[in-house]
Amino acid sequence: MNDKDYMKMAIDLARNTIGQTAPNPSVGAVIVNEGRIVGMGAHLQAGDAHAEVNALRMAGEKAKGATAYVTLEPCSHHGKTPPCSTALIDAGVTEVFVAMKDTNPLVGGRGIERLKEANITVHLGLLEEEAYSINEVFFHYINTNKPFVTLKSAISMDGKVATKTGDSKWITGPEARQDVHALRHQHDAILVGVGTVEKDDPTLTTRYGEGLSPVRVVLDRNLRISSHAKLLHDDSVETWIITTEKAKSEKDKTFAPHVKVIGLQSETLEIEELLRTLGDRGITSVLVEGGPTVNGSFLEAGTFQKVISYIAPKLIGGKEAPTSFEGLGVSYMKESIELQIENIERVGDDIKIISRRKEVHECLQES
């Protein structure tokens, strides 16, 4: 095995923790001594030991004189746990491969400098792009204090999300629907409009392993949500109803303790204000599963980073059958938002396409 192989192992360790470390990044570490792997570790959840510490614990005395492979720059500050750069120094590691620098202002290259000051040889940039993709949510949140937004939709081959009567169960097959639960597991919050709650009465939980379900966020400008809605009575996860300050003050509604009503200043639930509010409350990623109106709002605001489409081999037809994005749309093709397709795969009988906004993808290539 070579350096790239060891870093790939560290990246795989990190990738397996996506969705459970927020607001911290997903990080993996591998310790190698004389061509043998002596320690492996990942950061499992916020507040727990970091990847480097877990790998060093496994390595024990064999960490002395070893080489470490870490997917993200070791931290240099005291947070809920001691600095990882100090742990590597104290363990006697002599060489460290770091996939990429941490853009967190609390780190920002200081972890690498501490290692160099301790006469540890540091190599930076091995499999940097792969490492970045694992923590794109973390870096977006750190740099903007707003959540990373993914728009998800399930559509027919002709772009419809329902028939003209509103029937949408089910466009995609069971395998695709199960895949959505894995997708939910990777996000801090699921967001829908009150129209989706009225039509489908979903629970919006994830049935994926034993992980916690994301916070449920409902956009409800007039605070009209039915008191019988399932998510108001299922207390297995928090529900946040986003409304206007006016509606919140005028409508005296009492909800269960797991339900929070959050008022925004804008009477139209302006998307930028919404994202700032969610970011201030520690939400680093949002999976938007709303209907055409909600999707259209994010499209018009241009405030999303990724699009995931599940396409079923079905034709619905009809000009009155809704599509996945409504609203005004653009007037000219030159105004359209360009996407970069990242991955296409078959999920059961359906096709899953993962795309990101082209300028976001280009920033990734340049990082």
Side-chain angles (χ1 to χ4, degrees):
M1 295 180 69
N2 56 34
D3 296 326
K4 186 176 290 187
D5 294 326
Y6 294 129
M7 186 62 81
K8 283 182 178 178
M9 292 181 65
I11 287 173
D12 286 340
L13 288 168
R15 185 178 289 113
N16 288 332
T17 69
I18 292 176
Q20 65 183 51
T21 63
N24 292 349
S26 294
V27 182
V30 173
I31 309 294
V32 178
N33 199 332
E34 295 183 352
R36 297 181 62 185
I37 297 171
V38 294
M40 302 171 66
H43 179 48
L44 300 180
Q45 64 180 11
D48 284 359
H50 288 187
E52 298 93 325
V53 173
N54 285 328
L56 289 170
R57 285 174 179 170
M58 179 181 290
E61 291 297 322
K62 295 177 182 178
K64 188 172 184 179
T67 298
Y69 299 82
V70 188
T71 59
L72 187 64
E73 176 183 0
C75 61
S76 58
H77 63 285
H78 283 269
K80 293 182 179 180
T81 61
C84 292
S85 54
T86 301
L88 290 167
I89 294 168
D90 292 345
V93 169
T94 57
E95 189 174 18
V96 178
F97 283 80
V98 178
M100 67 173 298
K101 282 187 177 181
D102 191 343
T103 59
N104 186 340
L106 293 175
V107 184
R110 285 186 286 275
I112 291 175
E113 289 305 314
R114 289 196 64 186
L115 295 176
K116 290 181 177 179
E117 290 169 0
N119 294 319
I120 293 176
T121 301
V122 179
H123 308 274
L124 178 64
L126 180 62
L127 300 184
E128 182 177 15
E129 185 172 332
E130 291 90 332
Y132 183 96
S133 66
I134 292 173
N135 285 307
E136 59 183 355
V137 167
F138 171 75
F139 294 124
H140 177 83
Y141 180 71
I142 284 293
N143 292 321
T144 67
N145 198 41
K146 292 186 291 187
F148 186 98
V149 176
T150 298
L151 306 181
K152 167 260 168 183
S153 61
I155 60 177
S156 62
M157 287 286 284
D158 53 344
K160 307 296 185 179
V161 296
T163 67
K164 62 182 180 181
T165 65
D167 181 28
S168 60
K169 292 187 177 179
W170 295 101
I171 288 181
T172 53
E175 295 88 353
R177 297 199 296 275
Q178 181 60 33
D179 193 68
V180 170
H181 286 287
L183 190 60
R184 288 177 176 180
H185 177 70
Q186 296 175 0
H187 290 77
D188 291 348
I190 305 170
L191 186 147
V192 299
V194 68
T196 296
V197 176
E198 291 176 333
K199 185 170 74 74
D200 299 334
D201 195 19
T203 56
L204 296 180
T205 55
T206 177
R207 292 175 286 283
Y208 179 80
E210 299 179 355
L212 295 176
S213 293
V215 173
R216 299 173 291 206
V217 178
V218 180
L219 302 187
D220 185 3
R221 182 162 60 95
N222 297 312
L223 202 56
R224 72 175 197 251
I225 190 169
S226 169
S227 59
H228 300 294
K230 290 178 183 176
L231 48 73
L232 297 182
H233 299 280
D234 172 22
D235 62 359
S236 62
V237 63
E238 285 190 64
T239 298
W240 297 356
I241 301 175
I242 308 295
T243 188
T244 64
E245 284 289 359
K246 181 180 179 181
K248 181 180 178 182
S249 61
E250 290 181 352
K251 297 191 176 183
D252 184 18
K253 286 193 172 184
T254 302
F255 297 100
H258 74 283
V259 180
K260 295 180 181 178
V261 179
I262 302 170
L264 301 186
Q265 295 297 323
S266 58
E267 293 193 8
T268 58
L269 301 188
E270 196 262 334
I271 299 298
E272 280 288 351
E273 183 185 2
L274 164 69
L275 295 179
R276 289 195 301 270
T277 299
L278 295 178
D280 289 343
R281 291 172 176 264
I283 299 297
T284 68
S285 60
V286 175
L287 179 64
V288 178
E289 294 195 55
T293 300
V294 171
N295 285 345
S297 297
F298 278 89
L299 178 63
E300 290 176 8
T303 49
F304 65 93
Q305 285 68 52
K306 185 177 286 189
V307 179
I308 297 181
S309 303
Y310 295 88
I311 304 176
K314 298 175 182 178
L315 296 174
I316 294 175
K319 64 180 181 179
E320 295 181 4
T323 59
S324 53
F325 291 87
E326 291 187 353
L328 296 176
V330 301
S331 299
Y332 304 98
M333 282 303 300
K334 65 182 181 180
E335 299 171 346
S336 63
I337 296 177
E338 293 191 50
L339 303 178
Q340 175 74 42
I341 294 177
E342 285 195 338
N343 189 57
I344 301 175
E345 64 178 294
R346 186 165 180 169
V347 182
D349 291 330
D350 306 312
I351 299 297
K352 177 183 179 183
I353 301 178
I354 301 177
S355 308
R356 69 173 64 243
R357 291 183 60 175
K358 193 169 184 180
E359 59 266 35
V360 177
H361 179 86
E362 290 170 350
C363 289
L364 171 60
Q365 300 296 323
E366 295 169 1
S367 65

